Amino acid sequence: LAKTTQPISMDSYEGQEVNITCSHNNIATNDYITWYQQFPSQGPRFIIQGYKTKVTNEVASLFIPADRKSSTLSLPRVSLSDTAVYYCLVGDRGSGNTGKLIFGQGTTLQVKP
Amino acid sequence: NAGVMQNPRHLVRRRGQEARLRCSPMKGHSHVYWYRQLPEEGLKFMVYLQKENIIDESGMPKERFSAEFPKEGPSILRIQQVVRGDSAAYFCASSPAGTWDSPLHFGNGTRLTVT
């Protein structure tokens, strides 16, 4: 599974757009990019998954450039409740893969009033 | 439409005792994963099970730890002769299929404290 690198922490203010970038220089052709969110004392929660270009859902957008060596999770107009740890993961979506996720340290996002 | 249920939520054990952590996956999910999170650290994969089978236990310590997912009932993570270093949050996750297009649904964990 490709290794990922993301900032340890980020600060933002309510109402701002937050972009968290993840580097995955060794991403393989079959790898997908997935983001999870974890609040204190809770288990991680799936946010979004993508392979290339842009993916958007009701929670976030995921931007992936053509070379796929990085990706950016975009959270529009954050609120205090978006304060959490955000994990970027990459892995193979092909058959035979166990779906096992390897978590890094994540990015701790602190949203201030 | 209950999510992944873990119990107990908090568990205190003295050194040398046994800890049993239970996980009931979401309805329709036959794939279960266990993760451990030490204080101020990320989640570490321990074991992946399907009904009655251990598929991948590469993250599980060789001694004192075992896991099962019987045909009936919850998945159990068992830690024998606990030591202080076992104090952590243990998360269970489930999915309907063990592939990347099947996001994992996590429970809220069992916090084990060894005194």
Side-chain angles (χ1 to χ4, degrees), chain B residues 56-75:
Chain B
D56 183 346
E57 56 182 346
S58 58
M60 194 124 85
K62 299 298 181 193
E63 297 178 352
R64 303 187 298 107
F65 286 72
S66 63
E68 62 178 15
F69 188 17
K71 187 176 180 181
E72 301 292 336
S75 175

Side-chain angles (χ1 to χ4, degrees), chain A residues 1-44:
Chain A
L1 294 172
K3 182 178 177 180
T4 60
T5 303
Q6 48 184 129
I8 296 293
S9 63
M10 293 181 69
D11 289 340
S12 182
Y13 291 92
E14 282 191 291
Q16 289 187 330
E17 178 185 76
V18 171
N19 296 308
I20 306 174
T21 297
C22 178
S23 297
H24 26 79
N25 291 320
N26 297 321
I27 190 167
T29 303
N30 293 330
D31 284 345
Y32 276 69
I33 301 154
T34 309
W35 287 79
Y36 279 76
Q37 173 193 54
Q38 185 180 25
F39 297 114
S41 301
Q42 293 186 25

